[in-house]
Structures are given as structure tokens and as C-alpha cells.
Amino acid sequence: MALTDEAIAKIRSMIQSGELPPGARLPPEPQLAVQIGLSRSGVREAVKVLESARVLDVRRGDGTYVTSLAPRLLLEGLGLAVELLQDDTLLEVVEVRRMLEPVATGMAALRMTDDDLDELARILDDMRSAADDHEKLIQFDTAFHRTVVAATGNETLTSLLDGLSGRTVRARVWRGLIQNDSAHTTIEEHHAIYLALRARDQLLAHAAALLHVNTSEAWLRTVLAARAEREPS
């Protein structure tokens, strides 16, 4: 593992320095091993790790290339990691989302196009039609927030929030099981966000999104507390 870690560090250094820019092809394994002064086995394992992290793209029969290094690729594993988090840590993720999503929504208020806003209106209509179908409501809810954050034009922020939102979306299903009229509440919160965005009001959009995330967090805490009471100590 020490040799693999060293090989990872050296390949990463070559990428960071620009010696291997995005899209560049790595030297063949024997040549790369000599170049960085490590064994072929260490290089081979390092390439596997960096491939899993979406830093390298191994093309069988062609060679190994540096990926585009786009945030959507490098942060792709975040969502999978969030899915594995336990209850207390999951609440920490919601807290991070509360820090980021309102800011992103406020930013979107200044950057959304008319087409973006029209798309949000269509999604809201879909949400109203799916008010009795929690699975569809979750899908439209996800699409709504994705559209808003994508409008910021910040791919890193979009990728981060995409990864952080997967598990918290499921909390909305739990909310539907424990609280009456939850679909109506969800739609009204999204409608308030939409109106603030349509008005190009950055502060109001920030506040509406903050209220929505706070409500989701409160529901999640309620669900987790109820679960803790049911489980034997």
C-alpha cells in the first residue's frame, strides 16, 4: 500500500504540474514505472485507484488517459458515500446542504434565464399532478433543485449539492409517511422559491430556500428520533 500511495502521489503531481494535462495519454506502464522510480505493480495499483476516482480513464487496447478532471466526474463518488452515512452523520450532511443550497438559490435568482424559469414552472405543475404519488413527487423535487442550482453555472457547486441531496430526498418520503398533507407543504415551499426566482429577488430566494431546507431537516430529525425510540437500547 505504501508503494501504491507513493505512485498515486507521483502521478497526481504530474497532473497538477501540467506534465499530464486533461486528456493526456500516460506513458506505457513499464516506461511510467521507470520514470517515477517505482515498481510496475505499484504503478498498476495506483492506476486502478485513480481510475476509480475518475482521474484516469483506462481504455483497453488503447492506453490510459487523464480525464477531463471536470467536477462532475471527480465528485461523482460523493453521492455514493452519502448513501452509506449513518443517522448522526447524515444530519451533518443536511447541515452542509443548509449552508450551500440557499446561497446557490440566491445566486440562481440573478442568473436564471426565462427558459430556466419556464422549466421550473413545468416541474411545479408536474409536482401538483403527482401530489398523491410520493415517488414521482421526489423525482420532480430533485429535478426542481437540479435546475435551480445548474442555473448558477458553477459546476463544482452543482456537483456537490447533487451528491449531498440524494439521501436527504429520501427523507421526504419518510415525511410523507409521518405527516399529513406533506405533499401540499412541499409544493408550497417550492412555489415560494419559484416566485422569488421569477422576481429575480436574490435575498427572497435565499430565504425561501433556507426555509425549505430547514423544514426538511426538522422532518428528518423527527423521523430519526422516532426510529431511535423504536429501536432497543
Side-chain angles (χ1 to χ4, degrees):
M1 288 303 297
L3 288 176
T4 300
D5 289 344
E6 187 176 354
I8 291 171
K10 290 192 174 183
I11 295 172
R12 186 173 58 194
S13 178
M14 294 169 72
I15 294 171
Q16 290 173 327
S17 69
E19 185 178 348
L20 288 173
R25 182 176 179 175
L26 271 65
E29 184 183 287
Q31 181 181 335
L32 182 59
V34 171
Q35 186 174 338
I36 65 178
L38 294 171
S39 67
R40 290 180 61 177
S41 62
V43 170
R44 190 177 306 119
E45 292 304 313
V47 167
K48 289 180 181 177
V49 172
L50 292 172
E51 181 186 18
S52 297
R54 304 294 192 269
V55 174
L56 298 179
D57 178 19
V58 178
R59 305 174 190 174
R60 307 302 173 191
D62 184 9
T64 299
Y65 293 80
V66 180
T67 67
S68 66
L69 302 179
R72 61 180 175 77
L73 280 178
L74 300 182
L75 296 172
E76 192 175 71
L78 178 60
L80 296 175
V82 168
E83 292 288 343
L84 299 175
L85 295 178
Q86 302 302 304
D87 292 352
D88 289 344
T89 316
L90 181 57
L91 286 172
E92 293 182 5
V93 171
V94 178
E95 288 179 354
V96 175
R97 182 180 165 223
R98 174 156 44 87
M99 296 173 195
L100 295 178
E101 190 166 304
V103 175
T105 305
M107 188 186 304
L110 304 179
R111 299 182 180 181
M112 293 196 84
T113 65
D114 289 340
D115 287 343
D116 292 331
L117 290 165
D118 290 342
E119 176 63 17
L120 282 187
R122 285 191 288 271
I123 294 171
L124 271 173
D125 288 340
D126 289 336
M127 291 179 75
R128 292 188 178 97
S129 299
D132 296 324
D133 187 331
H134 294 295
E135 291 301 320
K136 287 185 178 180
L137 185 58
I138 291 167
Q139 294 174 19
F140 295 135
D141 177 58
T142 302
F144 182 97
H145 290 289
R146 220 169 250 164
T147 301
V148 172
V149 179
T152 66
N154 187 317
E155 189 177 352
T156 300
L157 181 59
T158 302
S159 299
L160 277 172
L161 282 170
D162 229 16
L164 292 172
S165 297
R167 185 70 181 270
T168 54
V169 165
R170 295 186 181 183
R172 296 178 185 126
V173 179
W174 300 337
R175 178 197 63 189
L177 299 175
I178 62 173
Q179 183 168 335
N180 293 328
D181 201 22
S182 60
H184 174 75
T185 302
T186 300
I187 293 168
E188 288 307 308
E189 289 176 353
H190 286 77
H191 188 231
I193 294 172
Y194 166 74
L195 291 178
L197 292 169
R198 178 65 80 176
R200 311 287 185 182
D201 190 324
Q202 182 179 14
L203 293 179
L204 186 58
H206 182 287
L210 181 59
L211 175 62
H212 175 56
V213 179
N214 280 345
T215 303
S216 297
E217 180 179 349
W219 284 322
L220 179 57
R221 289 184 184 278
T222 300
V223 169
L224 296 180
R227 177 192 295 175
E229 289 179 0
R230 290 194 302 269
E231 293 177 350
S233 55

